[in-house]
Amino acid sequence: RAGGLCRGVWSTDLTSTVGYDSIIQHLNDGRKNCKEFEDFLKERAIIEEKYGKELINLSKKKPCGQTELNTLKRSLDVFKQQIDNVGQGHIQLAQTLREEAKKMEDFREKQKLHRKKIELIMEAIHKNRNLQYKKTMEAKRLYEQRCRDKDEAEQAVHRNANLVTQKQQEKLFLKLAQTKSALEDTDRSYQQSVTTMEKIRDEWQNEHIKACEFFETQECERINYFRNALWLHVNQLSLGCVQNDEKYEEIRRSLEMCSIEKDVDFFVNLRKTGSLAPGKSLVESQKVVLTALYSSWSWLLWSASFCAKKTLILHFIHCLAALVSATFDSPWRS
């Protein structure tokens, strides 16, 4: 591809630098693009570092199931530790991004220095070419003027050959000789300028071709480096995701070891207060006794109807019945 960049940057105007200026502008834009990506990496590094520190602070300072017991507690400990590790990973990624940004900066500055040498050479050649072009155009102008002067002197000699005195004719011939001499001088000067201009043009053209080849090589290197830097950046982000998922997998493996039954048994063994339930209460015991008495009294009431001392027995039974009723209806029952 050598010389490929030169194919479309020529101009029929010898002093024109429009093609060269277009190349330089494109190279400057490329350098600017590298700087923008470099700044992007730096900003991403700031974000990653801030996020990593926030994760670490979260895992260390924010309670998360701090009263859990046994296997679930161990899973929570693994969870918080791995979140801390994820945060550390983001901080490490931030440092890696800063290193990549520094590499991009070094590459960009290295290209700038190398290109500056070529630009200085081309600036000197352009200046010398333009200066010589002006000299050549001035020599051409003088040559053309001397040609007109000679023609006018010749016409004056022929026109006044029979109309002027001998002395005036001598003056006309002297002027003609002077114009011819001046023409010869300007002709030599013009030819020398043209020859010098041709040498400078050849030198400029050769340097222009070499500069274009150098610039093309630089641009290919820049595009390749930029592309690889982007590729590497994406790979670093992917690697971070893989490493984070490995940390999350540790949490999942810990959760697989979590046992509901073991945690419940652990709590029971840790906080147990006894295995025997209390007996029946005094109130419940009295209710049983009084219920039995009431049944017995009902039977006595039925039997007393056949006894001789019916009135006395009935009076006694009714008293007991009132006592039982008062016992069941008393607030003490509750």
Side-chain angles (χ1 to χ4, degrees), residues 133-170:
Y133 181 79
K134 289 180 180 180
K135 289 181 179 180
T136 303
M137 290 299 100
E138 179 63 20
K140 178 183 178 182
R141 187 188 67 78
L142 289 174
Y143 172 74
E144 291 174 346
Q145 181 62 46
R146 295 296 179 264
C147 287
R148 287 191 294 267
D149 293 342
K150 183 184 76 69
D151 291 341
E152 290 175 0
E154 287 179 344
Q155 290 175 6
V157 169
H158 293 302
R159 186 172 54 247
N160 299 309
N162 300 319
L163 300 176
V164 296
T165 63
Q166 182 66 30
K167 189 175 182 179
Q168 289 175 330
Q169 279 188 341
E170 290 178 356

Side-chain angles (χ1 to χ4, degrees), residues 303-333:
S303 302
S305 59
F306 300 97
C307 296
K309 299 180 180 179
K310 178 180 178 181
T311 302
L312 180 60
I313 293 173
L314 286 174
H315 178 73
F316 175 72
I317 289 175
H318 281 301
C319 289
L320 289 177
L323 178 61
V324 171
S325 177
T327 300
F328 278 102
D329 294 337
S330 172
W332 176 77
R333 288 178 60 242

Side-chain angles (χ1 to χ4, degrees), residues 28-29 33 43 47 62 65 75 77 86 88 111 141 155 165 192 213 277 288 307:
N28 288 333
D29 289 342
N33 292 336
E43 289 294 326
I47 295 172
K62 186 68 176 179
S75 295
D77 291 341
V86 170
Q88 296 289 352
Q111 278 208 329
R141 187 188 67 78
Q155 290 175 6
T165 63
Q192 289 175 356
E213 291 174 348
V288 173
C307 296

Side-chain angles (χ1 to χ4, degrees), residues 82-83 85-93 96 235-250 252-253:
Q82 294 304 328
I83 293 300
N85 293 341
V86 170
Q88 296 289 352
H90 282 282
I91 293 177
Q92 180 60 45
L93 176 58
T96 300
N235 285 346
Q236 289 167 345
L237 298 181
S238 296
L239 178 61
C241 293
V242 171
Q243 292 174 340
N244 287 344
D245 191 63
E246 290 175 353
K247 297 178 179 69
Y248 298 143
E249 183 62 24
E250 289 293 326
R252 288 189 285 266
R253 282 196 288 266

Side-chain angles (χ1 to χ4, degrees), residues 122-306:
M122 293 304 297
E123 287 175 6
I125 289 178
H126 288 161
K127 183 178 180 180
N128 189 33
R129 181 198 62 183
N130 294 344
L131 180 61
Q132 184 59 39
Y133 181 79
K134 289 180 180 180
K135 289 181 179 180
T136 303
M137 290 299 100
E138 179 63 20
K140 178 183 178 182
R141 187 188 67 78
L142 289 174
Y143 172 74
E144 291 174 346
Q145 181 62 46
R146 295 296 179 264
C147 287
R148 287 191 294 267
D149 293 342
K150 183 184 76 69
D151 291 341
E152 290 175 0
E154 287 179 344
Q155 290 175 6
V157 169
H158 293 302
R159 186 172 54 247
N160 299 309
N162 300 319
L163 300 176
V164 296
T165 63
Q166 182 66 30
K167 189 175 182 179
Q168 289 175 330
Q169 279 188 341
E170 290 178 356
K171 289 182 178 179
L172 291 175
F173 279 109
L174 178 61
K175 184 176 182 180
L176 177 60
Q178 290 175 343
T179 57
K180 287 182 178 180
S181 177
L183 177 59
E184 291 174 357
D185 291 340
T186 55
D187 181 59
R188 285 192 298 270
S189 178
Y190 181 38
Q191 292 298 329
Q192 289 175 356
S193 293
V194 170
T195 301
T196 303
M197 184 73 249
E198 188 64 20
K199 291 180 180 179
I200 293 176
R201 187 193 69 81
D202 289 341
E203 181 184 3
W204 160 75
Q205 184 170 317
N206 292 332
E207 291 298 329
H208 180 77
I209 292 174
K210 289 193 294 185
C212 288
E213 291 174 348
F214 176 81
F215 293 151
E216 182 176 2
T217 300
Q218 267 208 336
E219 180 64 0
C220 291
E221 291 176 352
R222 186 194 68 83
I223 294 174
N224 183 61
Y225 189 90
F226 201 164
R227 186 196 66 139
N228 291 342
L230 281 169
W231 197 299
L232 178 61
H233 176 59
V234 174
N235 285 346
Q236 289 167 345
L237 298 181
S238 296
L239 178 61
C241 293
V242 171
Q243 292 174 340
N244 287 344
D245 191 63
E246 290 175 353
K247 297 178 179 69
Y248 298 143
E249 183 62 24
E250 289 293 326
I251 300 173
R252 288 189 285 266
R253 282 196 288 266
S254 175
L255 290 172
E256 289 176 352
M257 302 302 294
C258 180
S259 171
I260 299 173
E261 294 79 6
K262 289 181 179 179
D263 285 4
V264 172
D265 292 341
F266 183 85
F267 169 76
V268 171
N269 293 328
L270 181 66
R271 303 291 175 82
K272 64 183 179 181
T273 58
S275 58
L276 298 177
K280 291 185 178 180
S281 66
L282 180 61
V283 174
E284 292 297 324
S285 300
Q286 290 178 350
K287 284 174 63 177
V288 173
V289 173
L290 291 176
T291 300
L293 289 174
Y294 188 80
S295 299
S296 300
W297 295 336
S298 298
W299 179 81
L300 289 175
L301 180 60
W302 178 79
S303 302
S305 59
F306 300 97

